[in-house]
């Protein structure tokens, strides 16, 4: 027993000495008093860049203006003179778009995003249209309290979707320009209130009757209604789940002819193996316009189901792709599309206007695919494309198999500038032959070529 | 007899207790926690500059403000150059949310993707702690540039992390890392990070400069410099949400 105790004692002494050496390793070669101390930040002046080539340039705007830019575009459309749509012939036109994000303090900011279209070849006296027109995408003021409560008023994007292009919530903010179906459209006029917290965020929106133009002719939209919208967003670890619902009504309609629009949307976002998978789906109860074979139309309230699934992923370090599929149970079949085309050419003004108001290329078929790709070359050039493949049921069409109607927009940009970029892009609306009645084939342009200059400040 | 047994049990218990204290796994765990704390405060706001060096291209620099709160998330806001100004990145768990001004919502990206064309991945820069994601083991004691270091091997605890294996050399004195090697899933050395220029940052001696080299692409590396830092324990959790990115 004595030997065992002696052995334990020796072991303890040895181990104690070893443990002590771990915690007391010091290196006298460093004199802590001589080590430079990094300065504390000025939290009131965080947005100002540190000394460097950008300091002087950005100090002019950095205090009050953040993430702002000006874009100048020139677009040359090639018109399809055989198009059945009797719309004005837009020749080459230029766009000036300005985004101003003005933040006089951390808790107040204003955003103005809009500009002008110039139609230099349209003579004002020869047409009912002016050769300059104004457009607004967003114009709102935001006030926040303590980085938790946010109140926003004005023309604003209400994009609560999980998917990129199509979603249930897209009904709130859906008017993209038919000439560029993958770009964000004009915002909606409304008030939104948001409470943010780590796991659950809640947003309430009151959206006022729509005053935007809905189609190529400049006719007013027929969605003259208000929306009451709610969104709950749950975030747990790598997963985020969104639930939203909204109801709308037409304040001008007679009580016995009131039109409601209602949806419940849900979205989920999840990373797995370098892919980001997402889904967005839900039921919709809304007014639909049914175009008949005899050239007449009727509207009725009905249920439909919308679902979008997709993923994004980086490709070979310098590439990035998105693939998205959308199903809309209320989408047009081939026969519906044929009837719709007849309605567009109807002699009755009300039928023709109803058809024009329902004309949303990229949203009309039952099945759509969206493919996006961008590839960065040496941080100097970026090439890529956006494309939509709408697949309609072949019933009523001359084709015996599924008919894809395509939209593709290739782009090449020089991104080597520190304060802007130059892009050359095109939009092709592909039609197979003169009997092609696909949604993109109805657009009166074969293609558009554009050149844009963007300047950030 | 009773007294001898008491002495025996006393020594036996104290031996077990001390043996637990210096058990190598425990040391590795402690070192990794201390390293995480030595790199950054648990909750802070920092200004950083990242510069990409590539063999056939002019150096490219980005300035950013970083908000970080341990176990909650990290938010990065770009302030320069003008073409990147206003872009924001949020890291929550292993998911990155990226916001570009002029768009209405943030986009989710994988944490494994390269960060703004650099040799860093999104998670390298934005995830400032390793203890939650990796199981450490002390595998050697070595000198790196005459500095005594512990060499730790880290193995991923879950599949969601960017690297399967990481080897870190930690200074014995200040518990700050000197060199970090990142390995691919197949076990090949992928990237090497060197940390240097010790400064007093928020009261503690920490490295102010990091260089990440891509082993597979010669002369390609990215340098990050901490320009200023303030420990701020009362950062609100709402800052680290998707909704905040668009505000």
């Amino acid at each position: 027993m004595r030997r065992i105790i002696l052995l334990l004692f020796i072991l303890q002494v040895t181990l104690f000495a070893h443990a002590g050496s771990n915690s007391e390793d010091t290196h006298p070669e460093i004199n802590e008093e001589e080590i430079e101390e990094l300065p504390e930040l000025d939290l009131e002046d965080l947005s100002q860049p540190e000394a460097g080539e950008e300091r002087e340039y950005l100090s002019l705007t950095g205090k009050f203006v953040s993430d702002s830019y000006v874009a100048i575009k020139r677009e040359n459309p090639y018109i399809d003179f055989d198009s059945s749509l009797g719309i004005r012939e837009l020749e080459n036109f230029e766009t000036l778009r300005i985004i101003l994000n003005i933040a006089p303090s951390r808790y107040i900011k204003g955003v103005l995003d809009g500009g002008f279209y110039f139609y230099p070849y349209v003579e004002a006296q020869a047409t009912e249209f002016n050769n300059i027109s104004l457009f607004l995408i967003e114009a709102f003021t935001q006030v926040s309290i303590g980085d938790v409560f946010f109140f926003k008023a004005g023309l604003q994007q209400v994009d609560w979707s999980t998917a990129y292009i199509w979603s249930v919530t897209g009904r709130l903010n859906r008017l993209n320009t038919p000439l560029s179906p993958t770009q964000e459209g004009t915002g909606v006029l409304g008030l939104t209130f948001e409470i943010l917290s780590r796991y659950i965020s809640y947003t309430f929106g009151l959206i006022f009757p729509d005053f935007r133009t809905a189609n190529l002719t400049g006719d007013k939209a027929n969605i003259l209604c208000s929306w009451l919208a709610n969104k709950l967003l749950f975030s747990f670890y790598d997963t985020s789940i969104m639930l939203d619902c909204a109801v709308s009504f037409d304040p001008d309609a007679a009580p016995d002819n009131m039109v409601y629009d209602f949806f419940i949307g849900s979205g989920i976002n999840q990373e797995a193996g370098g892919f980001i998978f997402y889904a967005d789906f839900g039921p919709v109860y809304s007014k639909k316009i049914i175009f008949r074979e005899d050239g007449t139309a009727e509207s009725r309230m009905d249920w439909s189901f919308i679902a979008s699934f997709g993923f994004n992923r980086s490709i070979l370090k310098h590439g990035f792709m998105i693939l998205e599929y959308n199903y809309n149970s209320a989408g047009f079949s081939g026969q519906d599309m044929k009837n719709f085309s007849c309605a567009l050419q109807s002699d009755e003004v009300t039928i023709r206007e109803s058809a024009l108001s329902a004309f949303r290329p990229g949203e009309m078929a039952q099945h759509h695919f969206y493919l996006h790709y961008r590839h960065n070359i040496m941080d100097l050039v970026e090439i890529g494309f956006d494309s939509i493949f709408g697949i309609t049921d072949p019933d009523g069409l001359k084709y015996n198999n599924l008919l894809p109607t395509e939209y593709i927009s290739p782009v090449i940009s020089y991104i080597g500038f520190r304060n802007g970029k130059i892009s050359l892009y095109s939009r092709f609306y592909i039609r197979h032959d003169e009997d092609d009645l696909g949604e993109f084939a109805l657009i009166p342009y074969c293609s558009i070529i554009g050149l844009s200059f963007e300047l950030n400040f | 007899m009773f007294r001898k047994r008491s002495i025996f049990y006393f020594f036996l218990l104290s031996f077990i207790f001390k043996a637990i204290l210096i058990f190598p796994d425990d040391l590795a765990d402690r070192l990794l926690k201390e390293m995480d704390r030595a790199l950054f405060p648990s909750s802070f706001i920092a200004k950083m500059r990242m510069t990409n060096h590539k063999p056939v291209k002019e150096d490219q620099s980005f300035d950013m403000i970083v908000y970080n709160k341990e176990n909650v998330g990290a938010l990065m806001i770009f302030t320069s150059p003008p073409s990147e100004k206003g872009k924001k990145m949020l890291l929550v768990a292993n998911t990155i949310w990226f916001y570009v001004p002029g768009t209405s919502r943030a986009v989710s990206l994988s944490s494994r993707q390269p960060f703004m064309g650099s040799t860093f991945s999104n998670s390298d820069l934005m995830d400032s702690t390793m203890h939650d994601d990796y199981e450490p083991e002390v595998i050697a004691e070595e000198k790196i540039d005459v500095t005594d270091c512990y060499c730790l091997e880290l193995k991923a605890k879950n599949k969601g992390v960017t690297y399967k294996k990481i080897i870190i050399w930690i200074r014995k004195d200040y518990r700050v890392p000197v060199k970090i090697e990142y390995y691919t899933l197949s076990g090949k050395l992928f990237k090497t990070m060197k940390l240097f220029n010790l400064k007093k940052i928020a009261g503690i001696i920490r490295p102010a400069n990091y260089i990440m080299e891509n082993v597979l692409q010669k002369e390609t590396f990215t340098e990050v410099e901490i320009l200023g830092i303030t420990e701020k324990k009362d950062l609100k959790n709402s800052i680290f949400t998707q909704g905040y990115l668009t505000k």
Side-chain angles (χ1 to χ4, degrees):
Chain A
M1 180 60 87
R2 279 183 182 173
R3 282 179 187 168
I4 294 170
I5 292 172
L6 184 63
L7 185 63
L8 282 171
F9 178 75
I10 292 167
L11 272 170
Q12 286 205 66
V13 169
T14 309
L15 289 170
F16 182 76
H18 181 68
S21 72
N22 276 343
S23 58
E24 290 172 11
D25 277 331
T26 54
H27 293 256
E29 68 266 22
I30 290 182
N31 184 349
E32 291 191 19
E33 289 179 1
E34 290 177 3
I35 289 184
E36 185 189 344
E37 184 155 1
L38 210 64
E40 293 261 319
L41 292 174
D42 178 2
L43 298 182
E44 297 299 316
D45 196 25
L46 273 177
S47 62
Q48 287 288 7
E50 292 298 304
E53 62 183 283
E54 249 69 60
R55 172 90 188 181
E56 192 175 339
Y57 176 71
L58 286 175
S59 63
L60 295 170
T61 59
K63 184 72 178 172
F64 297 114
V65 181
S66 57
D67 56 64
S68 303
Y69 85 102
V70 172
I72 300 168
K73 291 182 185 175
R74 180 188 173 90
E75 298 197 337
N76 289 20
Y78 291 86
I79 299 164
D80 174 12
F81 291 103
D82 295 328
S83 167
S84 58
L85 289 178
I87 69 160
R88 66 195 266 208
E89 294 175 358
L90 297 179
E91 296 189 47
N92 300 343
F93 60 95
E94 281 98 35
T95 310
L96 172 66
R97 180 182 175 187
I98 300 172
I99 298 179
L100 282 176
N101 184 342
I102 301 162
S105 86
R106 184 174 169 181
Y107 299 112
I108 299 173
K109 82 168 185 180
V111 170
L112 179 66
D113 180 354
F116 300 93
Y117 290 121
F118 299 98
Y119 306 104
Y121 305 107
V122 175
E123 292 181 18
Q125 290 177 343
T127 169
E128 59 187 289
F129 299 103
N130 294 322
N131 58 356
I132 295 179
S133 63
L134 172 74
F135 69 92
L136 270 178
I137 293 173
E138 287 192 303
F140 65 83
T141 302
Q142 177 185 284
V143 177
S144 73
I145 302 171
D147 291 327
V148 175
F149 303 97
F150 294 86
F151 180 78
K152 198 190 274 189
L155 190 69
Q156 55 191 289
Q157 300 278 352
V158 183
D159 187 352
W160 295 347
S161 58
T162 305
Y164 286 87
I165 301 293
W166 304 281
S167 67
V168 183
T169 329
R171 303 181 63 74
L172 293 175
N173 205 39
R174 64 184 301 171
L175 285 184
N176 295 338
T177 164
L179 302 182
S180 181
T182 59
Q183 284 184 358
E184 290 173 325
T186 306
V188 289
L189 188 65
L191 306 170
T192 53
F193 173 70
E194 193 161 6
I195 305 172
L196 300 179
S197 72
R198 184 177 176 187
Y199 297 114
I200 302 174
S201 297
Y202 170 72
T203 311
F204 169 77
L206 172 62
I207 298 166
F208 299 130
D210 203 323
F211 66 91
R212 299 166 295 175
T213 54
N215 53 53
L216 293 168
T217 63
D219 294 324
K220 293 284 183 186
N222 65 344
I223 321 168
L224 291 169
C225 54
S226 296
W227 288 91
L228 290 173
N230 296 270
K231 179 183 78 167
L232 269 175
L233 178 70
F234 301 92
S235 302
F236 300 103
Y237 196 61
D238 282 340
T239 305
S240 64
I241 298 171
M242 181 179 69
L243 295 174
D244 45 60
C245 68
V247 61
S248 78
F249 56 94
D250 184 346
D252 296 330
D256 56 346
N257 193 27
M258 188 66 83
V259 175
Y260 297 93
D261 198 326
F262 170 75
F263 68 76
I264 300 174
S266 50
I268 186 164
N269 198 94
Q270 173 71 49
E271 177 178 18
F275 289 85
I276 301 290
F277 292 98
Y278 59 84
D280 193 301
F281 48 90
V284 175
Y285 185 66
S286 65
K287 178 181 146 188
K288 292 184 181 65
I289 304 173
I290 313 293
F291 299 99
R292 294 203 195 90
E293 212 167 343
D294 60 3
T296 59
E298 67 162 332
S299 65
R300 65 167 182 242
M301 298 296 294
D302 203 359
W303 284 96
S304 59
F305 185 77
I306 293 174
S308 294
F309 308 94
F311 67 84
N312 77 46
R313 183 182 167 83
S314 62
I315 308 285
L316 299 173
K317 190 178 177 185
H318 298 291
F320 178 72
M321 72 166 287
I322 302 165
L323 179 63
E324 182 170 314
Y325 163 75
N326 170 252
Y327 169 72
N328 178 5
S329 69
F332 282 5
S333 68
Q335 184 61 48
D336 293 335
M337 191 61 84
K338 191 175 180 182
N339 297 346
F340 173 75
S341 181
C342 292
L344 277 176
Q345 299 170 64
S346 172
D347 293 335
E348 283 190 45
V349 175
T350 52
I351 299 283
R352 198 169 61 242
E353 288 189 347
S354 293
L356 281 168
S357 69
F359 183 48
R360 296 200 179 89
E363 295 183 31
M364 298 168 76
Q366 280 184 342
H367 307 272
H368 286 99
F369 285 95
Y370 168 63
L371 183 60
H372 163 99
Y373 184 73
R374 289 289 184 276
H375 196 91
N376 182 305
I377 302 168
M378 308 280 296
D379 293 328
L380 291 174
V381 175
E382 190 176 76
I383 57 170
F385 64 88
D386 288 273
S387 59
I388 291 177
F389 301 87
I391 298 174
T392 54
D393 185 323
D395 290 348
L397 297 178
K398 61 179 283 190
Y399 300 96
N400 293 322
N401 46 27
L402 289 179
L403 172 66
T405 58
E406 296 95 348
Y407 162 83
I408 186 161
S409 175
V411 60
I412 180 166
S413 303
Y414 180 77
I415 54 173
F417 303 118
R418 291 184 67 78
N419 57 348
K421 69 176 180 181
I422 298 174
S423 302
L424 179 66
Y425 58 91
S426 187
R427 302 188 195 115
F428 295 103
Y429 310 97
I430 300 167
R431 59 204 74 196
H432 299 276
D433 63 31
E434 59 184 13
D435 293 328
D436 183 346
L437 296 175
E439 54 198 316
F440 291 111
L442 293 170
I443 288 179
Y445 302 120
C446 304
S447 63
I448 291 175
I449 292 178
L451 182 65
S452 79
F453 301 89
E454 292 178 25
L455 176 67
N456 300 79
F457 58 94
Chain B
M1 187 65 186
F2 177 75
R3 195 178 168 190
K4 280 182 182 174
R5 276 192 180 170
S6 299
I7 293 168
F8 170 74
Y9 285 127
F10 170 75
F11 275 115
L12 184 65
L13 283 172
S14 62
F15 169 73
I16 292 167
F17 180 68
K18 283 176 181 171
I20 289 170
L21 270 183
I22 58 155
F23 194 67
D25 284 351
D26 178 64
L27 172 66
D29 203 51
R30 189 156 43 90
L31 282 170
L32 193 59
K33 280 182 183 170
E34 286 175 356
M35 185 201 80
D36 282 343
R37 280 198 294 272
L39 275 177
F40 293 102
S42 60
S43 186
F44 65 89
I45 303 175
K47 272 191 169 184
M48 295 183 185
R49 174 169 296 156
M50 182 180 81
T51 307
N52 292 332
H53 303 267
K54 293 183 180 175
V56 290
K57 193 174 178 291
E58 201 177 309
D59 290 353
Q60 190 181 22
S61 291
F62 303 88
D63 283 3
M64 52 201 113
I65 304 166
V66 179
Y67 296 79
N68 189 91
K69 190 169 184 180
E70 197 172 61
N71 298 325
V72 179
L75 171 70
M76 196 174 273
I77 302 172
F78 289 85
T79 56
S80 164
S83 57
E84 308 298 331
K85 191 180 174 192
K87 288 183 180 175
K88 297 175 189 172
M89 291 185 99
L90 170 72
L91 172 73
V92 178
N94 288 320
T95 302
I96 300 278
W97 294 91
F98 185 51
Y99 171 73
V100 177
T103 58
S104 54
R105 66 191 180 92
V107 172
S108 177
L109 303 173
S110 168
S111 57
R112 300 175 190 191
Q113 287 181 206
F115 179 85
M116 302 297 284
S118 72
T119 45
F120 286 90
S121 72
N122 287 330
S123 64
D124 292 339
L125 264 186
M126 301 194 67
D127 191 356
S128 62
T129 59
M130 292 184 175
H131 180 257
D132 295 335
D133 298 324
Y134 291 93
E135 195 68 54
E137 182 188 348
V138 178
I139 56 171
E141 293 183 21
E142 295 175 359
K143 278 186 188 295
I144 298 283
D145 297 334
V146 306
T147 305
D148 288 331
C149 296
Y150 289 109
C151 181
L152 261 67
E153 182 177 296
L154 274 55
K155 287 179 181 164
K157 285 180 185 174
N158 58 66
K159 290 180 180 176
V161 297
T162 310
Y163 307 102
K164 189 180 179 186
K165 186 176 92 171
I166 296 174
I167 295 180
I168 307 178
W169 285 262
I170 300 175
R171 285 181 73 115
K172 285 188 173 180
D173 47 7
Y174 297 111
R175 302 297 203 234
V176 294
V178 177
K179 182 181 166 189
I180 304 177
E181 290 180 349
Y182 299 89
Y183 289 81
T184 61
L185 289 175
S186 59
K188 286 183 180 172
L189 178 60
F190 180 34
K191 291 188 283 193
T192 302
M193 182 152 76
K194 289 173 183 165
L195 303 94
F196 57 100
N197 192 15
L198 293 184
K199 289 186 178 178
K200 271 186 192 166
I201 300 174
I204 293 177
I205 292 173
R206 313 172 199 264
N209 291 62
Y210 307 175
I211 283 183
M212 181 74 97
E213 292 173 322
N214 189 329
V215 176
L216 307 175
Q217 291 176 299
K218 285 186 177 177
E219 298 178 48
T220 299
F221 62 94
T222 299
E223 181 170 2
V224 169
E225 180 184 4
I226 300 172
L227 303 170
I229 197 165
T230 294
E231 187 167 12
K232 192 153 174 63
K233 292 186 175 170
D234 58 349
L235 284 177
K236 290 203 166 61
N237 289 345
S238 60
I239 290 174
F240 306 99
T241 58
Q242 292 172 48
Y244 190 80
L245 287 175
T246 57
K247 300 296 177 257

